[in-house]
Amino acid sequence: MSVQDTLAQLETAQLVRHLIDAEPAYIFKHALTQDAAYQSLLQKQRREIHRRVAFACEQLYADQLDEHAALLAQHFECAEEDRKALEYLQRAAEYARRSFAAREQVELISRALAIAERRNDNRLKASLHTERGKALTELAAWTEAKKELESALALLSPTQLEQRAQVLLYLANVYRWLFDAQAAHQVGEEALALAEQLGNDKLASSAMCGIAFWETAQGRPRAGIAMFERAFSRARELRTPELIQAISLVGLTRYWLGEYQPAIEANETAITRAFEIFDNTTIMQSFGILGLAQAGMGHYGAALDTFRRAREFAREHGGGPWLARAVAMEGGVHLDLFDFAGAETLAREAREIGRAAKFGPAQVSAAIDLLLNFARRGLVHGAEHLMKEVADAIPLTYGSHRWLWQNRFVQARAELALARSQYDEAIEKANESLEQSRATFRVKYEIAALVTRGQARLAKGDHAAGISDLDTAHEIVQPTDNPTLFLRTAIALLQVRGDDTLATRARVTARQISNSLPSGELRARFDAYVSELI
């Protein structure tokens, strides 16, 4: 009896079904039937059938092996053809990486590792642990990624200097996302020493970027940028994951300094190049920074669209921490636009997502935004429990966020004291905020501190000093081209001093901001707030 006749009998018996509009192909009608048929075969028979199917598929899909690599790997695994199984598992994992399917990539590498363990192939195991660590990094599973990369290092021989340097660079990146800047710096120095020993400029420039990050993490953003630039000049081309991520970090640092256009350009470049190498981490990191920088330039529609893309990408690719981060950043933009209700909703959402993803930075950052929000609305009773939470969290952070949070937190305390009419405390905390802002070149918080101190001095009756602070804030804001920062200083000045020219400019700026916002609650809340003040 021919194969076709046998298949026809099985179809008549309702055991299999012919796939319509397909090549001659049949499937079992019920999974239990399939399982029963499979279990009835001897293991030797199963292995032989899988082997024949695998080699047949290899010929049938010779021009589509990447797309069918996972299927081929499965059949070669079942056939116990370890060499071929490894080949296709690694091929399928790479295809998954290029498809932004990091979870599938981790699963495929894990199966390859099981074979490598049986073969006791340390070189292969080191390579696979490295790849699994990189894939876990893309999933923001940084603790697990750290373990994988440490396992890879333990398996490398002392003579494999280049491989060790590269794994150390991956590990430094993981430490950055674990917010352990000290460990990232130490590992980066070790990688740099190996790169110098090898005379490898590409590795050396990547390691230098880690050291540049250390400078920014210590509150020295200008020194960090200078080191980044030295690293870039040493690299022949900025195409490695470490260097592309460094471009994004330069953009972030530029944003902190109030240099919004360079920040936009850096992160647009980082996003483009990260898509070219399928680097989820840099894509998700850069979306958030780009949105902040666009808002800083007054491109609010573009910023909100960027945050929408950030949310979508994070949800699609399993980035819980990245989703929390994007939502928190978007909430900060709403706060700057005087949309206090919308900002509060987003901050609470970011905290909920961050808590579920065990991503503390988003929780703390959003908590500080809530403190600023409550202060600016005069809702000081809602701040007490958050004050303790933030105060307890900051000493436990060792990454780049520590000095940022310290600056933002002391500014929030200054504004809360002002809202409580505790003017001496408001001035004291504003002085601290001003000192920290100037030391780290954070223009946005320098302006906020001057406005807060000026308002507190005016409330105490020190008119000359208060006006001087507000005038200084207004002067500093001019080069930034930040519309909401300008509007905040203008509103503060107009409340205490008549100025027709400033009032006209403030109204024009408010109209420009409003027109750039999508119609809806955000625009309505912005218009309602500014209409009462200018």
Side-chain angles (χ1 to χ4, degrees):
M1 184 180 293
S2 68
V3 172
Q4 284 302 117
D5 289 339
T6 301
L7 287 169
Q9 284 188 355
L10 291 171
E11 191 172 16
T12 301
Q14 301 274 311
L15 295 174
V16 300
R17 177 167 61 85
H18 179 237
L19 294 178
I20 306 299
D21 297 330
E23 297 179 13
Y26 292 79
I27 62 171
F28 284 98
K29 291 194 73 174
H30 301 286
L32 291 176
T33 304
Q34 180 179 353
D35 289 342
Y38 190 77
Q39 294 300 328
S40 70
L41 297 171
L42 296 173
Q43 290 224 350
K44 183 177 180 181
Q45 290 176 299
R46 290 185 210 168
R47 287 196 300 270
E48 180 58 23
I49 292 171
H50 279 295
R51 191 184 69 81
R52 290 185 181 184
V53 170
F55 281 110
C57 288
E58 201 174 29
Q59 292 183 4
L60 182 64
Y61 302 120
D63 58 345
Q64 297 176 299
L65 291 178
D66 284 345
E67 292 89 331
H68 294 88
L71 175 65
L72 285 158
Q74 180 182 354
H75 283 299
F76 278 122
E77 280 181 282
C78 293
E80 297 182 13
E81 293 273 355
D82 283 356
R83 184 182 63 81
K84 298 288 282 186
L86 277 170
E87 175 188 343
Y88 281 107
L89 282 168
Q90 290 175 278
R91 191 165 188 160
E94 173 59 19
Y95 185 73
R97 185 188 73 82
R98 289 187 278 111
S99 303
F100 295 103
R103 293 192 188 282
E104 182 180 347
Q105 184 187 1
V106 169
E107 190 268 333
L108 290 161
I109 295 171
S110 298
R111 285 159 54 191
L113 260 170
I115 297 173
E117 290 285 356
R118 288 201 304 270
R119 294 163 64 115
N120 198 28
D121 186 335
N122 282 351
R123 186 178 290 267
L124 178 59
K125 285 193 290 183
S127 174
L128 291 171
H129 276 296
T130 300
E131 292 304 312
R132 190 159 66 177
K134 289 164 60 181
L136 287 165
T137 301
E138 296 295 286
L139 291 170
W142 298 302
T143 300
E144 294 86 349
K146 173 176 169 284
K147 293 176 183 175
E148 290 297 317
L149 295 170
E150 288 173 342
S151 294
L153 280 175
L155 288 163
L156 290 171
S157 71
T159 60
Q160 293 177 278
L161 300 184
E162 185 172 342
Q163 293 90 330
R164 291 189 69 83
Q166 187 62 72
V167 174
L168 286 167
L169 289 175
Y170 296 143
L171 189 57
N173 180 46
V174 168
Y175 275 125
R176 283 198 287 274
W177 291 116
L178 289 171
F179 301 98
D180 189 345
Q182 178 69 46
H185 180 245
Q186 181 179 338
V187 170
E189 290 278 15
E190 190 177 344
L192 179 58
L194 290 174
E196 298 288 14
Q197 185 178 340
L198 290 163
N200 188 318
D201 284 340
K202 184 171 77 171
L203 286 174
S205 61
S206 295
M208 288 170 67
C209 288
I211 297 167
F213 171 82
W214 167 256
E215 291 290 341
T216 63
Q218 299 309 299
R220 298 187 288 267
R222 293 200 184 281
I225 287 178
M227 176 61 82
F228 276 122
E229 294 298 340
R230 287 198 292 276
F232 293 160
S233 67
R234 184 166 181 178
R236 293 177 184 173
E237 57 178 358
L238 305 181
R239 297 288 176 181
T240 67
E242 296 82 15
L243 291 168
I244 293 172
Q245 188 171 110
I247 294 172
S248 177
L249 290 172
V250 168
L252 175 60
T253 310
R254 295 285 187 194
Y255 166 78
W256 289 335
L257 297 174
E259 299 170 3
Y260 302 121
Q261 187 57 43
I264 290 171
E265 292 169 2
N267 278 281
E268 287 178 338
T269 298
I271 289 169
T272 299
R273 294 187 182 179
F275 267 111
E276 291 172 359
I277 64 168
F278 315 100
D279 181 356
N280 285 4
T281 296
T282 301
I283 292 167
M284 290 187 278
Q285 169 184 281
S286 301
F287 270 139
I289 304 166
L290 176 61
L292 290 176
Q294 288 170 328
M297 285 288 291
H299 304 160
Y300 300 108
L304 294 172
D305 186 61
T306 296
F307 286 122
R308 176 190 58 77
R309 293 174 66 197
R311 282 176 177 249
E312 291 175 354
F313 195 88
R315 286 195 179 101
E316 183 178 355
H317 299 291
W322 297 112
L323 178 59
R325 180 176 180 267
V327 174
M329 288 177 166
E330 185 178 358
V333 172
H334 280 250
L335 181 61
D336 288 342
L337 288 164
F338 314 113
D339 175 19
F340 300 114
E344 180 178 351
T345 297
L346 288 166
R348 293 192 185 282
E349 181 186 353
R351 281 167 60 75
E352 183 178 339
I353 298 169
R355 193 175 293 114
K358 298 180 180 179
F359 189 60
Q363 297 178 64
V364 176
S365 184
I368 295 173
D369 277 348
L370 284 172
L371 291 175
L372 291 165
N373 193 327
F374 294 153
R376 293 170 190 180
R377 294 159 81 184
L379 303 177
V380 294
H381 62 276
E384 293 305 323
H385 71 286
L386 288 173
M387 292 273 285
K388 184 178 187 311
E389 177 184 330
V390 175
D392 290 345
I394 289 177
L396 302 177
T397 63
Y398 298 96
S400 63
H401 287 64
R402 186 171 188 167
W403 63 274
L404 291 167
W405 286 344
Q406 286 173 332
N407 190 180
R408 296 184 68 226
F409 185 43
V410 75
Q411 176 59 33
R413 292 166 68 189
E415 294 189 29
L416 284 165
L418 179 65
R420 294 191 185 102
S421 301
Q422 296 169 342
Y423 303 125
D424 288 334
E425 183 180 349
I427 292 169
E428 178 190 344
K429 295 304 178 188
N431 284 335
E432 288 183 42
S433 178
L434 191 59
E435 182 181 354
Q436 292 176 18
S437 301
R438 287 174 171 168
T440 56
F441 308 100
R442 286 229 68 190
V443 176
K444 179 178 179 179
Y445 285 92
E446 181 181 3
I447 292 167
L450 284 165
V451 169
T452 303
R453 189 174 71 179
Q455 291 172 330
R457 284 174 164 174
L458 286 164
K460 280 174 62 70
D462 192 348
H463 190 79
I467 288 290
S468 176
D469 278 342
L470 297 182
D471 280 334
T472 302
H474 191 61
E475 289 171 11
I476 294 170
V477 81
Q478 303 305 318
T480 70
D481 294 322
N482 185 315
T484 52
L485 275 183
F486 162 77
L487 203 55
R488 187 175 182 206
T489 62
I491 288 170
L493 275 168
L494 290 170
Q495 287 177 328
V496 296
R497 183 177 68 195
D499 186 325
D500 290 342
T501 301
L502 180 59
T504 299
R505 186 181 169 196
R507 284 191 287 271
V508 169
T509 300
R511 282 198 298 272
Q512 290 173 338
I513 294 172
S514 180
N515 291 337
S516 73
L517 298 174
S519 58
E521 289 187 349
L522 173 57
R523 181 189 286 186
R525 288 168 178 163
F526 173 80
D527 289 342
Y529 182 84
V530 298
S531 65
E532 294 182 2
L533 299 169
I534 56 174

